[in-house]
Amino acid sequence: MPQFDLLVVGGGPGGYVAAIRAAQRGLRVALVEKERPGGVCLNWGCIPTKAMLRSAEVFQIVDSAKDFGITTENVQVDFAAVRERKNGIVDELTHGVAGLLQANGVTVIEGHARFTGPSTVEVFRAGPSPVFDGGPRYAAAPTDIPIRTVEATDVIIATGSVPAPLPVSGADLPGVITSDGAFGLTEIPERLVVIGGSAVGVEWAGLFAAFGTAVTVVEMQDRLVPAEDAEIGAALGRSFTGRGITVSTSSTVTGIERSGDGLRVNVDGTDPRALDADIVLVGVGRRPNTAALGLDAAGVGTDARGFIPVDDRLRTGVEHVYAIGDVTGKALLAHVASHQGLTAADVIAGHDVHIDYHAIPAATFTHPEIASVGLTEAAARAAGHDVVTAKFPFAALGRARSVGDTEGFLKIIAGARHHEVLGVHIIGPSASDLITEGALAITLEATLDELAHTIHAHPTFGEIGMEAALTGLGLPIHIAPPRTRRGDRA
Ligand SMILES: Cc1cc2nc3c(=O)[nH]c(=O)nc-3n(C[C@H](O)[C@H](O)[C@H](O)COP(=O)(O)OP(=O)(O)OC[C@H]3O[C@@H](n4cnc5c(N)ncnc54)[C@H](O)[C@@H]3O)c2cc1C
């Protein structure tokens, strides 16, 4: 009989959550992790970026304090202290996860796991790796120093993802970094080019721009955050431009070269040019982290991009082997990894559950913040829905006025006949918190009428969902209805 009921490989928000749930279900669980628990999210992603973005936000608020009747002098950024604060938060949270694993009776094994069969891994000491602040990162390959063999009845692969390399010349020059490398910067760069205008790229762009860096974002698509509703991407582009960030869309980087003390990024597209920079941050995507994992020995296949295909119970094609999180390529988000982890653990514990991806909220922590759930207007129309759209501006909310943060809007996509909510898209203050109402609306198949009838506290940012729903019903209260004929209202 195997020593463990379940072996989890990888301790990110997918793996550690799965391990805890499985232990709570009474399984004997082992988790192998080659770095610190918490994965990319806690160590190199969600949390450290948001900690630093908060510093940028505080800097901007204090810098504009006189607008609020507060006098300040000589407001400065202490970048070393910004990084120290971030490191402290990451340390606390990763220790917290280690403590939770221990408290739930999960056996944590430090090292690099490599499959020797579908239910067996050999754990090796993790190899040496570059050191950024916060600790070692992505040991390229395990050492050949074996630690132990682990066998279990069921296995969950939760090894996550790593930054995808940029396939252009000069991408390996010193000063060309990924998101991970950005955590190693000890000084605020004077000139930064960010390649890729999706969530990771625009968060770093906004952060350094707030600290005074001259930032250019180069994006291949015709707008920033191209996965978002088209109006959101356009609005972020306008906002970034207004903040002094240069936005270069419909542009492709053809190569990077040395230029004097810095770097030159050659860009092709509607506006071909060369951009000079001190640092070039590549944020063009992620690839599955399956290096030296021995998937062949487990018999687990991958798709053309290297991700592990799974069904709605997170089963791979191999019996007793499951995969969750970024390595499945479903939606590269921490909360999706965690929900997949909960589902896989429950399935393994004998529960009849499956995962449903149709209401996944996502947030991008730029200023203004972005969040969305469900279908974009274009996707809804392409799927054959006859839709109504409803928009409401933050500027018309008393709360936004009093806080002094009025940029942006909320947009609802709903079915034209029954008014069922199909998608919610927000750019503006607290978007990442407000989106939960949208996710709940889609999950519960709520309609515009139900959103409008729900009493929302005043004065709050949350009122925007109700006000947008009223607008979609043609009954707006706090904005003027659109005119149809001179003097008439629609
Ligand atoms: C800059 C940045 C910002 C982000 N911000 C957000 C955000 O705001 N919100 C959000 O939802 N998502 C965000 N993400 C994405 C989020 O971090 C990932 O979706 C999430 O971490 C995926 O979790 P996971 O458990 O699948 O894998 P990971 O978090 O990648 O964890 C995998 C773990 O497996 C370990 N591992 C890999 N191979 C082995 C092996 N062979 N043996 C032992 N251990 C192994 C790794 O060391 C790692 O700890 C961000 C990502 C980045 C890069």
Side-chain angles (χ1 to χ4, degrees):
M1 181 171 161
Q3 190 185 356
F4 294 101
D5 299 314
L6 173 64
L7 164 66
V8 182
V9 181
Y16 83 75
V17 168
I20 289 174
R21 169 62 64 89
Q24 287 168 345
R25 296 290 190 207
L27 304 185
R28 295 165 303 151
V29 184
L31 182 146
V32 185
E33 169 55 59
K34 66 187 175 61
E35 297 184 24
R36 287 198 292 195
V40 168
C41 182
L42 259 60
N43 291 287
W44 308 96
C46 328
I47 299 301
T49 48
K50 277 61 196 188
M52 292 175 77
L53 281 160
R54 176 65 179 153
S55 292
E57 188 181 29
V58 169
F59 176 59
Q60 287 189 313
I61 291 171
V62 178
D63 202 37
S64 60
K66 66 173 184 321
D67 299 346
F68 297 83
I70 311 291
T71 308
T72 53
E73 267 178 28
N74 197 21
V75 181
Q76 305 228 351
V77 181
D78 177 349
F79 195 53
V82 169
R83 296 169 70 236
E84 213 170 294
R85 174 178 181 274
K86 177 267 291 177
N87 289 343
I89 293 165
V90 169
D91 281 349
E92 267 174 31
L93 289 176
T94 51
H95 284 130
V97 168
L100 288 172
L101 287 166
Q102 192 184 17
N104 280 281
V106 175
T107 302
V108 177
I109 302 163
E110 279 178 37
H112 185 122
R114 183 190 281 161
F115 283 96
T116 50
S119 55
T120 324
V121 300
E122 187 81 19
V123 182
F124 295 85
R125 187 176 295 171
S129 63
V131 176
F132 299 119
D133 74 323
R137 181 67 187 127
Y138 297 136
T143 63
D144 54 7
I145 305 166
I147 297 175
R148 63 183 282 189
T149 300
V150 185
E151 199 188 348
T153 308
D154 291 284
V155 179
I156 296 178
I157 302 170
T159 51
S161 66
V162 290
L166 183 69
V168 301
S169 61
D172 53 355
L173 285 171
V176 182
I177 59 173
T178 63
S179 175
D180 294 345
F183 291 113
L185 294 176
T186 52
E187 286 174 9
I188 297 169
E190 276 181 32
R191 301 165 302 170
L192 173 71
V193 170
V194 176
I195 303 176
S198 294
V200 169
V202 293
E203 285 188 2
W204 282 112
L207 186 145
F208 281 112
F211 286 151
T213 302
V215 178
T216 302
V217 185
V218 182
E219 167 56 46
M220 209 156 71
Q221 306 283 324
D222 62 358
R223 60 180 190 270
L224 296 179
V225 286
E228 299 289 346
D229 190 271
E231 287 193 65
I232 300 286
L236 184 68
R238 284 193 300 275
S239 179
F240 265 22
T241 305
R243 280 160 208 272
I245 299 173
T246 305
V247 176
S248 191
T249 49
S250 305
S251 301
T252 312
V253 170
T254 53
I256 307 168
E257 58 197 6
R258 281 184 195 285
S259 167
D261 287 344
L263 295 159
R264 178 158 296 166
V265 181
N266 295 310
V267 177
D268 207 356
T270 42
D271 180 18
R273 59 195 150 137
L275 303 166
D276 288 325
D278 305 305
I279 296 290
V280 176
L281 197 160
V282 179
V284 290
R286 316 266 306 166
R287 61 181 165 81
N289 189 6
T290 49
L293 184 57
L295 282 183
D296 287 349
V300 173
T302 56
D303 66 17
R305 296 178 308 148
F307 291 101
I308 301 175
V310 287
D311 65 11
D312 65 357
R313 288 162 197 253
L314 291 316
R315 295 176 294 202
T316 65
V318 180
E319 216 184 341
H320 297 293
V321 182
Y322 299 72
I324 59 172
D326 281 11
V327 78
T328 67
K330 287 283 181 194
L332 276 57
L333 293 165
H335 43 283
V336 174
S338 295
H339 270 268
Q340 289 179 319
L342 294 174
T343 306
D346 281 348
V347 168
I348 291 164
H351 295 254
D352 183 16
V353 290
H354 67 279
I355 189 156
D356 177 353
Y357 297 101
H358 90 290
I360 298 174
T364 301
F365 295 78
T366 38
H367 190 108
E369 216 167 84
I370 291 171
S372 61
V373 61
L375 299 177
T376 62
E377 183 177 345
R381 292 191 193 283
H385 291 283
D386 191 8
V387 301
V388 289
T389 64
K391 241 167 96 177
F392 195 85
F394 278 95
L397 288 183
R399 174 70 176 159
R401 292 267 170 192
S402 55
V403 167
D405 202 348
T406 53
E407 193 178 355
F409 57 84
L410 179 145
K411 174 178 173 181
I412 303 178
I413 322 294
R417 187 151 174 229
H418 301 295
H419 291 163
E420 74 279 15
V421 178
L422 300 170
V424 179
H425 306 274
I426 313 174
I427 180 163
S430 296
S432 59
D433 292 313
L434 298 178
I435 201 61
T436 307
E437 183 174 29
L440 196 61
I442 293 177
T443 302
L444 300 180
E445 299 177 1
T447 60
L448 292 180
D449 311 67
E450 285 162 331
L451 283 183
H453 283 132
T454 302
I455 301 176
H456 288 64
H458 177 76
T460 60
F461 289 124
E463 287 174 286
I464 197 164
M466 175 188 71
E467 296 278 8
L470 284 166
T471 306
L473 295 169
L475 300 166
I477 299 294
H478 290 106
I479 51 169
R483 284 176 188 279
T484 49
R485 278 198 328 257
R486 193 175 171 80
D488 287 354
R489 299 286 183 190

